[in-house]
Every structure is written in C-alpha cells, then in structure tokens.
Amino acid sequence: MGTARQGKPAAGGVALLALTVCLLPVVARAQLRVGFYDTTCPNAEALVRQAVAAAFARDAGIAAGLIRLHFHDCFVRGCDASVLLTVNPGGGQTEREAGANSPSLRGFDVIDAAKAAVERSCPRTVSCADIVAFAARDSISLTGSVSYQVPAGRRDGRVSNATEASANLPPFFFTAKQLTNRFAEKGLSMEEMVVLSGAHTVGRSFCSSFVDRVWDQSVKPPQPKVDAGLSSSYADLLRALCPSDTTPATLITTAMDPGTPNVLDNNYYKLLPRGMGLFFSDNQLRVDPQMAALVSSFAANETLWKEKFVAAMVKMGRIQVQTGTCGEVRLNCSVVNPTSSSIELASSTAPAVDKDGIATS
C-alpha cells in the first residue's frame, strides 16, 4: 500500500464527506433558528405574509391548503419543499402527482407568488422550504387568530418521489395504532398526532375519501350505509352530497367541519363525540381511550389546544430538515437548480469555504 499523502483531500472525498454530513441526524448539523433571515433578508417573512393574505382575501379556503401543504411536505423526506417539485431529476412521478396529493393538495400558486416577491427583494437567499413553513404559520394566524415564531434555515431537497408520498403520508383509513406508529416514525407522539389532527377543523375533502362510510359500493346498485362512528343524520347529509357512484375522479367536496369550515377552532373535537368525524381515521380518535381523553380535553379548552397545536407545528417543521450546506436554495420552487449552479443559503452562521469546499471559519 502507498504512503498517505499529506494535504487537502481530493474533491471526491470532500463531496463524500459533505454527503455523509447531510445524512447525519439534525442534532449533529446546523440548527434552525428564529430570525434566520434578519440580516440577509429582513423582509422575507413580511413578503410571505403579504402573499398569503392576498390569496386568503380571494379565497379563505386557501389557508387550509397551505397548512396541509406544510404537513405533506414534512412527512415525506422531511421539510425540504420536495412536495413542490414538478420534475424529479431521477425520473418518475413526483410527490405532488401521488394519489395522496393530487388533485387535493393546493397552495402551490401562493408559494410561487411569495417566492417571486422574495427573490425580487433578496435573490438566492430564502429557501422554498422556509416559505412553506412561513405560509402555514400565516394561514394559522389568519384562521385561528394565534401567532407563533417559525425557526428557519431549511434547505431545499432535490428529490421528489410519488411512491415515497404514498408510503409516508397517513391515509384516511388508518386505525388508531397505525396513526400512532406513523407519527412516531416522524418523531411525533400520540398526543401530538391528536393535536395535529385538529387541523381538520378547516378545509374541505373530496367525497372519495369517505364515500365508503355512507355507501356500500360492493353491491350493485350501491346501497346506503352508516359506518361505525357516524351519526345517521350526518351520514344522510354526506350521502346527499356524494353520489353512490363516487370515484377519485368525482371532484365533489364538502367541508370537514360543517359548522366553522374557515375558522381554526376546537370545533373538530366537539364534533367527534357527536358522530361527525368525516374520516374513518377521525373516528379512531374517539375509539381509542387515551385519544378520546385528549379529544375531551381539547373540546373543553380551545386555548390549551391552540397552544399545543402551534408547538406541534414547530416540532413538525423540524422533521429531517436539511441545513447549512446540505441541499440548495431553489430559484424556482417547482424545479431544482441547474447542476452547474451553486446556490448557497446566505446566513450569518454559514461557514466560509475555500475552492475545495473546506471550511475556513
């Protein structure tokens, strides 16, 4: 074997080292922090807030879409804006084309508008992943009159795969145990799962997500049914809205919370004991004793739920984030940067590097 040569490591070795660092747990890498763009783009959050407010003024339902967009981003590959990509460099369908996201996921145009405004003010500085997190926070503020600070510094990923969306997002037919396990995989507790499920108090759902709870489609012609956990009157209402031959292509929607569909409140928890949980997974929260106790607690105390909700949103926003020199800052949220570009996230905490990528400070 040859003698080890002193000096700078080869470029390939540096690249391998960088990849290894990016695969380390987040605790071993640069952390997110509140005020990340205070010096590099001080108006970033205000610009995102303006874009969200403008969209909300046109359509109050967009807020629920933006909250859900953040959730669906973070549960697949972490909060890296992979859900925004329209092309996967590796080929195949992207996350946003997966059945769990298409055509129900919305808010992409709002993120694009916010990104355009931020790029005009601070080019190549603010990641799409952070914009998604800011937009969700602003949507919660508009619908629930509750504010919280969002730690930032996320980087954007370069991979988006439809099969990973299907494998990681919790579907509407999950049992209590399956829900708990899926959230645990993301570092979230059973209580945090119940807390985050309260987001179903805003927004709408396609009939295909719950049609089998009110129609028995296994027989011809389909016959009315009332699934366990549904009140008969609610089933009648849903049956009147959704035809017996509903399929995923039937683009009919209904409010998940028929009482206050555009208000982030604790009405979701009040509806569950009345047999008005829209999805099978919603009803699981009242079937499991521990979850049912939390449902009762949040139904009785909206302030408590909101406090826990924003805390859970912040924690969710840290799932498998890429930070520091990992990932990139996309110039266009729907496509990765050209490989010839090297877009570094401007940050007062980012280390300076020499031409070989070695940290110099």
Side-chain angles (χ1 to χ4, degrees), residues 99-174:
N101 292 329
S102 178
S104 60
L105 206 59
R106 58 194 300 235
F108 300 105
D109 56 334
V110 182
I111 301 301
D112 288 341
K115 175 63 171 176
V118 170
E119 280 297 308
R120 286 192 295 268
S121 180
C122 316
R124 301 182 174 187
T125 301
V126 182
S127 70
C128 298
D130 278 341
I131 290 175
V132 171
F134 293 149
R137 183 267 310 276
D138 298 335
S139 297
I140 289 169
S141 177
L142 287 168
T143 55
S145 300
V146 58
S147 300
Y148 62 98
Q149 293 184 308
V150 172
R154 300 166 187 80
R155 301 271 287 189
D156 300 324
R158 296 180 57 87
V159 177
S160 183
N161 192 306
T163 58
E164 292 184 350
S166 301
N168 285 276
L169 292 169
F172 50 82
F173 51 79
F174 259 18

Side-chain angles (χ1 to χ4, degrees), residues 1-19:
M1 296 177 64
T3 304
R5 184 166 55 92
Q6 298 298 316
K8 295 180 180 178
V14 172
L16 180 61
L17 176 61
L19 176 61

